[in-house]
Structure formats: C-alpha cells, structure tokens
Amino acid sequence: MKFCKVFFSILLVLLSSAATLRAADKWFDINGTTPGGGPDGNGFYDGAWDTTTSDWNTDPTGVAAPTTWSNGDIAHFYAGNDPTAFGGISVSGSINPGGMEVEEGKVQLVGTINMGANPWKIDNGAEFVISIASQVMFAAPGSILTMDGGKLTNNVVGNGSGIIGATNSGIQLTVNGGTFNTPNGGPQGIDDPSSTYSIMVYTNPITMASGVTSATLHKTGHGELRAVTGGNFTSLDIQQGLYRVNNTSGGDTAFGAATGTVTIAGGAVENTSQGAAIGTSTGITSPATRSFVLSGVGATNDSAITLSASWVINGPISGPGGFILNGWQRGDAGTVIGGQANILTLGGTNTYGGNTTIGFGTIIANGGNAIPNTSRVSISTRSSWGNGTPATNNTATFQVGASGTATTETIGSLDGGNATRGIVSIPNAGSVLITGADGTSSTFSGTISGAGGLQKTGAGTFTMDGVKSYTGTTKVLGGILSTNSASLADTADVYVNNGGFFNLNFSGGDTIKSLFLNGVAQAIGSWGGAGSGAANISALLTGLGTLNVTSAGAPPGVAGDYNGNGVVDMADYVLWRNGGPLQNEVNSIGTVDSSDYDAWRTRFGNTSGSGSGLSAGSAVPEPATLALVVLGGLGLIGRRLDR
C-alpha cells in the first residue's frame, strides 16, 4: 500500500511552495531499519515529532537509516501490521509540514502543527485524531484536506474545534467520501453517550474533489458536528450523534447539495444523546429537491430532530423510521438542546414508516400529505427536560395546516398530552384532522382547538379526554370515538355512520347544532344510546351522555355529486376527469382517484333523499358516450376561450 502513494506524494510536492519543492518525503518510523514504522523496541507506537529526533525515514519500506525532520518536508504515516498505530506522537517546537498524508492506521498528535497553505490527505481506512483544540491550523488560504475514505476524529470535549481554517481553505471528498467522528468521553475517545460531550465546529466548506460527481459525508460518534458553511457533497449519512447547521453562512447547503439525500439513523431516546440526530441553530428552508431518509437503524426506530431555530422541510421524508422533535440532551452537562418556541414545518409528501413524536416545540403539517397515513402522532407528557439544570418546556403542538389555509391531514392515530401540555390545533374553518387510519386504539389527553373539524376512521377506539374547544364538524366513520366531557361546540354538527360509534362517556347533555346518522338529518331533541335517558335512541350512540340537537339541519350533500348541484350526473364525471376539486366525496376524501369514479358510477342519478345505490331507471352512460361528453365539454371550453 505504501508504494501506491507515489502519485499523491508527487502531487503534494507540486502543490507546495518553491522552498518546499526541495523538501523530502518522509515516513514516520520509530523502529530503526526494521521494515514498517513501528513499534519501537518497547512495543510502543508513539515517538516524537520535532527537528532533532530521528523518527523519520526517507524509504517508504522503513529499512533505510532513520533521519530527522526538517520543516517543509512532506509527512507520511503508515501503520505497518498494526491498524491502530500510531498513538500519542508528541509534537514540540514549530512544525510546518510541506504536506501530510495519513496512509494507514490511526494517527494522534499531542501538540500543534501548522499546515500553512499546504495540502494534506487521509486515505481510505486511515484515521487522524484531534486531541487538543486548534491542533491543525490552515494558516494560509488554499490549504485543502482531502478525505479519500478516511476518518477525522475529534476528541476535544466542550465547544471547540481541532481544525482552524483560513479563508479559502477547506475539506474535499473523493468518491470514497469521508467520516467525521465525534466520540464523547475526552482524549481516550471511549464514546460513552452520557460522558463528556464532544463538539467539532468546522467553519469552511466541505466539497467534492475536482472531477468527483458523487460523495458521501458520514457522521459518527455520540457528540456533535456543527457545520457552518455550505457544501456540495451529494449525500449525508448521520449514523450517530448530532449534525447541526450552526449559522447563516451555509444555511440548508450545510447538508450538502440541494438535490442530495440526508439519511439519519435511529436509536434516539428523549432526554438523552442516544442514537442519531439532525438540527439547526439558524432558521432554514430545505427545498423540495432535498430528500430525507429515516433509516430506523438503532436500538429504537426513531431519529431526533433538534431545533434551536425554525426549519421548513419541503422535500420528501421516507424510510422505515420515525422521529422525535426536540429533547436531545448533552450527557455531561445535562443540558437539553433546542427551544420550545421553534417550529418544524413539513410541506412535502412524506412516507416514513414510524411515529411522529413531539417532545417540545411545534409541527405544522402542510399540504395534506405531511404525515403518513399510518404514522401515530404522539405528544410527550414530559415537562422537565435535561438533568443538570432542567428546563420546563410545555409547548408541544401539532398544527393542521398553516393559518389561513384549509388542510385535510390524515394520521394513523393520536396519543399523549396531559392537562398541562399538548395541543392539537386545527386553526382553519374547512380544515379536518382525520385520525384512526392505522386501526389502533389511542388516548389523547391534551387540548384539541381551532375552527376546523375532527374525523374518526378505521378500527379501534380514539379517546379524547382533554379539553375539546374545536368548533368544526365531528365525524365518526369507523371504530369508536369516545369523549369524556360535554364540550363540543354548540354550533357544530355531528355525523355518525354505520361502522362507527360515538361514545358519550359523560353525564348530562352536550348541545350541538345538527346530528346526521348515516347521512340523514335527525330531529331536534335529545339523542343518546340505550340507557342514556334521551328522548331519541340510536344504536350508533353509546354511553350515558346525550346530544341536545338544536337544528334539524340542512340535508347533507348528495354523495357523488361532485359539483354540488343536487344530482349525481354527467357533469360530476367531467369534473372528476378534470381533476376536481370534488364536493361530497365518499372515499379518499381530498384526493381525486379511481375510487371517486367508482363512487360516482354506483350513485349515478341519485338526488337528495334518494338511496345510496344506483337509482331505478338511471343507467350509467356507456364509455363511448362518456368520451363524447368529455370531448363536447372540451369543445365548449375552446369556444369560450375563442371569445
């Protein structure tokens, strides 16, 4: 492997200054003329890097007579037969290499070197360990660290960096990528998640080497990497610890190219630094072209997202995992990272397979596909965050749609919250939260508020036993919806269909506007289940509570009447063919698809008050007739446009 480094050695020389051109390539060698670089006679892999100790060799095989170091020489490190070598090389005096290459093994310096404007490189499988702050300095513009599959490890604890970069210096990745490793625990690098916290702050760009079109930056270790400036690498792989955008210099491009992919492992547990996390300390927006993958790899299925500022993600989030919003804690100081005033806005079409958990802060679900239909939204009941000096963070909110935008969002189920924390906000009239799509049972004990409505679908029981101040319509289309208080809005309607049951688990009556059972408006008066004492009994209602209906209600829209003209006819078919929007949908509400055609065909000819199936004497037009109707509609549109 040593002999295949000739090309890079020549490159190092060519990129150095005129004075350095006269320098020599030297390999660190502490075992005399014995082949390889070590160990020494006592079995150690340490040695000294100064200008007087003969710990260097001009022969890459290590068999020549050892010699001393001269500033401007190009330093090479190789492990020989020991992949962990070297350890603890003592640096003394002013050391200014003309270039440096870690070819094999693990190199850890005790002391500081100054690369000036000269290049250095970490080869595939090799590792360079930073053990003190400001250990490697790019003192002049133009110095580049090339990571060719190598690893850069930071053992500096606390908030500090082992690499100081001058303007126009930076790190570049080859096709083999590179790894930033931030193990907790200090100089020994034991990487205990609960031990002293390692933070690497890197202020300059991380880019791809010339001619490279695809490269991955890997993040390992339970500490933190703070990326300040943007990069163009095509993928980011966060295996452990926290990767955080640190300020406005790079914004979202600190995650790499705008069309790249960010993969975050699982293993996260609230109020710890377990697993993998991603976050930002500056407000950013990730474009629709950037994708995120929650791999779910780890002791838990969850990744962590930690926000010290707000973040808008417009791209897709996929993968088998889920995520926890906020709650990442430094293991040493016990300080939780993130603030409860910050907002995560999801605007893409997301398909991740795990849960959506809110430790603290707010999630806004935009566009109707922000939360996968099978994802359980869970709000933590923890109020005290952190261990050293705990912070009370009780703002934990799930919001359906941005303010002013009617949104229908389907989730798997909803749970968590308590009397002091946990809000589900449906702020806009016309917005609907549909819960129960995963078919499981759950209980939400927080507050449900806003001008929008709530719909229960699927099997299982959804129990809402907290404050219910939302003023929109309540629909039970499947399973059981259970409420423990008479708190529905007096001006709101309630719908219950076959296959669904509304459990009024309280004493007394709850005033509402209108009640529709299987789509039929019911009479004014008290309604309840058997044993409730209500004047009107329905098998779709259970419990001891009653609903006091104050209005017979306008007849509901005709199912399949997509244009709302009171009859299911050819105009509804044309509207469906044109992509909607559709009123009075039966299936997949909010999405125009083939099930809407089936619903229209089944109900063709229906009017208000008619049955739910095909009306007598109302034949569905043949396909040829349908095509003529569509063409005729298009021609009419064309004539109108000509005018």
Side-chain angles (χ1 to χ4, degrees):
M1 181 174 182
K2 308 179 191 72
F3 295 103
C4 68
K5 307 301 178 180
V6 173
F7 175 77
F8 185 72
S9 299
I10 295 173
L11 180 62
L12 287 173
V13 173
L14 292 175
L15 293 175
S16 301
S17 65
T20 306
L21 285 172
R22 297 188 297 270
D25 286 281
K26 291 180 180 177
W27 283 259
F28 193 73
D29 187 353
I30 59 174
N31 67 352
T33 58
T34 302
D40 62 16
N42 296 314
F44 295 108
Y45 286 89
D46 43 24
W49 192 352
D50 53 36
T51 57
T52 59
T53 306
S54 297
D55 278 349
W56 297 89
N57 204 311
T58 57
D59 185 342
T61 67
V63 297
T67 187
T68 58
W69 170 266
S70 296
N71 278 332
D73 288 341
I74 299 170
H76 298 262
F77 297 91
Y78 57 96
N81 295 323
D82 189 340
T84 64
F86 293 89
I89 300 172
S90 298
V91 179
S92 59
S94 179
I95 300 299
N96 308 102
M100 182 171 67
E101 181 176 12
V102 183
E103 300 177 2
E104 299 173 316
K106 184 176 183 179
V107 174
Q108 179 169 328
L109 304 182
V110 181
T112 300
I113 63 174
N114 189 332
M115 294 302 301
N118 299 313
W120 58 305
K121 183 170 181 271
I122 306 174
D123 289 340
N124 199 1
E127 180 178 3
F128 185 88
V129 180
I130 300 167
S131 58
I132 62 173
S134 305
Q135 186 161 51
V136 180
M137 300 184 69
F138 300 158
S143 182
I144 298 294
L145 165 59
T146 298
M147 299 185 71
D148 185 21
K151 178 187 295 185
L152 185 64
T153 293
N154 178 62
N155 281 348
V156 181
V157 298
N159 186 355
S161 172
I163 300 179
I164 303 299
T167 303
N168 296 326
S169 64
I171 294 176
Q172 65 181 14
L173 307 177
T174 71
V175 68
N176 292 319
T179 298
F180 280 72
N181 182 37
T182 58
N184 286 344
Q188 301 305 316
I190 57 177
D191 200 20
D192 178 356
S194 62
S195 188
T196 48
Y197 195 62
S198 167
I199 302 175
M200 180 188 290
V201 181
Y202 184 65
T203 59
N204 287 353
I206 302 173
T207 60
M208 294 188 293
S210 177
V212 175
T213 58
S214 176
T216 299
L217 177 65
H218 304 275
K219 162 69 178 72
T220 60
H222 286 94
E224 179 178 345
L225 173 61
R226 296 181 183 175
V228 176
T229 307
N232 68 351
F233 48 91
T234 53
S235 60
L236 173 63
D237 172 31
I238 306 170
Q239 299 175 17
Q240 289 176 316
L242 171 60
Y243 185 101
R244 180 155 55 144
V245 177
N246 200 45
N247 68 23
T248 57
S249 297
D252 171 80
T253 57
F255 297 133
T259 55
T261 299
V262 179
T263 301
I264 311 104
V269 177
E270 70 172 31
N271 215 40
T272 74
S273 58
Q274 299 278 4
I278 190 170
T280 182
S281 58
T282 186
I284 59 174
T285 297
S286 293
T289 55
R290 182 182 304 290
S291 59
F292 295 84
V293 178
L294 308 177
S295 75
V297 175
T300 72
N301 198 41
D302 292 320
S303 307
I305 296 177
T306 180
L307 299 184
S308 296
S310 294
W311 185 6
V312 178
I313 300 178
N314 288 321
I317 306 175
S318 62
F323 71 87
I324 302 171
L325 175 64
N326 288 322
W328 181 265
Q329 180 202 194
R330 287 184 55 161
D332 52 358
T335 303
V336 71
I337 298 174
Q340 62 180 346
N342 300 312
I343 299 170
L344 175 66
T345 301
L346 303 178
T349 298
N350 300 321
T351 58
Y352 58 90
N355 292 341
T356 305
T357 303
I358 302 175
F360 54 88
T362 297
I363 292 177
I364 297 179
N366 276 343
N369 295 295
I371 307 298
N373 291 356
T374 57
S375 181
R376 171 171 288 203
V377 174
S378 180
I379 297 181
S380 173
T381 58
R382 179 188 295 272
S383 291
S384 181
W385 297 86
N387 293 321
T389 305
T392 300
N393 291 326
N394 275 330
T395 298
T397 302
F398 177 73
Q399 180 175 314
V400 177
S403 296
T405 303
T407 304
T408 297
E409 184 67 56
T410 299
I411 64 175
S413 51
L414 174 66
D415 77 350
N418 54 34
T420 59
R421 70 187 326 270
I423 295 174
V424 171
S425 174
I426 316 170
N428 307 302
S431 287
V432 180
L433 175 63
I434 302 174
T435 184
D438 65 4
T440 66
S441 295
S442 64
T443 298
F444 181 68
S445 302
T447 298
I448 305 176
S449 64
L454 178 76
Q455 181 173 309
K456 169 67 177 72
T457 189
T461 299
F462 173 49
T463 301
M464 45 183 189
D465 60 5
V467 175
K468 294 164 283 292
S469 59
Y470 69 96
T471 58
T473 297
T474 300
K475 291 186 177 183
V476 189
L477 305 183
I480 300 171
L481 176 64
S482 180
T483 179
N484 70 338
S485 61
S487 56
L488 296 178
D490 293 353
T491 57
D493 296 333
V494 172
Y495 290 74
V496 187
N497 285 3
N498 281 337
F501 299 91
F502 195 7
N503 179 32
L504 308 174
N505 189 26
F506 54 84
S507 298
D510 190 358
T511 298
I512 63 172
K513 183 181 178 183
S514 302
L515 174 65
F516 298 88
L517 301 178
N518 286 321
V520 178
Q522 303 300 310
I524 295 173
S526 64
W527 285 82
S532 66
N536 302 284
I537 303 299
S538 171
L540 300 180
L541 304 175
T542 62
L544 298 179
T546 60
L547 297 176
N548 299 324
V549 178
T550 59
S551 171
V558 182
D561 175 22
Y562 298 145
N563 63 1
N565 70 347
V567 59
V568 181
D569 55 16
M570 287 304 304
D572 302 312
Y573 173 81
V574 173
L575 184 59
W576 170 77
R577 280 292 301 265
N578 289 336
L582 307 182
Q583 303 177 48
N584 304 312
E585 280 187 278
V586 178
N587 302 309
S588 60
I589 297 173
T591 302
V592 179
D593 58 21
S594 61
S595 67
D596 295 313
Y597 169 78
D598 294 336
W600 168 82
R601 185 181 187 282
T602 302
R603 293 165 176 79
F604 184 79
N606 280 3
T607 59
S608 180
S610 63
S612 60
L614 197 65
S615 297
S618 299
V620 178
E622 294 298 324
T625 305
L626 294 176
L628 289 173
V629 170
V630 173
L631 290 172
L634 292 174
L636 179 60
I637 293 172
R639 288 195 297 274
R640 288 178 177 173
L641 290 175
D642 289 339
R643 295 177 187 175

